Amino acid sequence: QVHLVESGGGVVQAGGSLRLSCAASGRTLDDHIMAWFRRTPGGQRAFVAALIWPTSRSYYEESVKGRFIVSRDNAENTMYLQMNSLKPEDTAVYYCAAGDRRDFPGTVFYQGNFRSWGQGTQVTVSS
C-alpha cells in the first residue's frame, strides 16, 4: 500500500494560485495512477485530475481544465497540483489518491478503485 501525505492548502483570494503536494512512500509508483479529488462543503468527493505515473499523461475534470495542472517529481515520489485562477467554488478539502493501473482500464477514474488516500488538505478561496 502507498502512504500519501498532502500539503500546501490554505486561504487565497479569488484569482490567486496555490500548489498542492502529495508525497508518496511505501512502494514504487511505476504501475500506478495518481489522482486528486475534492470534497466541497456539504458535497460529495469528486474527481479533479489524474496522472498516469509512468507516462505523466494527465486528465482533468471539465471545470478545472486550463486552470489546474497536475505534475510529478519522479525522484521525490511527489505529485503536485498547481491551481491557478482560483474561484470560490474551488473551496474544498483536496485529497490525493493512488491506484493500480490495472484497476483502471479506461479513462474514468472511479474513486472506489483507488486503494490509498491521503488525509486531505483544506483549500479556501475567498471572493
Side-chain angles (χ1 to χ4, degrees):
Q1 187 131 355
V2 180
H3 180 63
L4 302 172
V5 178
E6 302 100 333
S7 61
V11 180
V12 64
Q13 286 191 327
S17 298
L18 278 176
R19 189 177 80 157
L20 305 183
S21 299
C22 173
S25 61
R27 59 172 295 176
T28 179
L29 298 177
D30 288 346
D31 54 354
H32 277 71
I33 289 177
M34 303 287 290
W36 290 97
F37 287 79
R38 64 186 178 186
R39 187 192 303 273
T40 56
Q44 305 269 353
R45 190 163 60 184
F47 172 77
V48 175
L51 181 76
I52 312 301
W53 192 263
T55 64
S56 290
R57 183 165 184 172
S58 56
Y59 301 86
Y60 297 92
E61 189 270 328
E62 196 64 35
S63 71
V64 307
K65 280 182 181 177
R67 300 189 299 124
F68 291 10
I69 301 170
V70 62
S71 63
R72 66 173 173 92
D73 182 327
N74 198 37
E76 296 293 328
N77 252 22
T78 299
M79 176 176 65
Y80 301 99
L81 184 68
Q82 178 66 42
M83 304 185 295
N84 302 318
S85 302
L86 282 162
K87 305 175 181 180
E89 51 263 44
D90 294 317
T91 294
V93 178
Y94 284 72
Y95 300 89
C96 69
D100 191 310
R101 286 185 69 184
R102 293 170 295 182
D103 293 334
F104 301 91
T107 57
V108 178
F109 304 101
Y110 294 111
Q111 58 181 299
N113 288 356
F114 286 91
R115 303 183 186 184
S116 302
W117 291 85
Q119 81 287 354
T121 186
Q122 176 72 46
V123 171
T124 302
V125 185
S126 62
S127 56

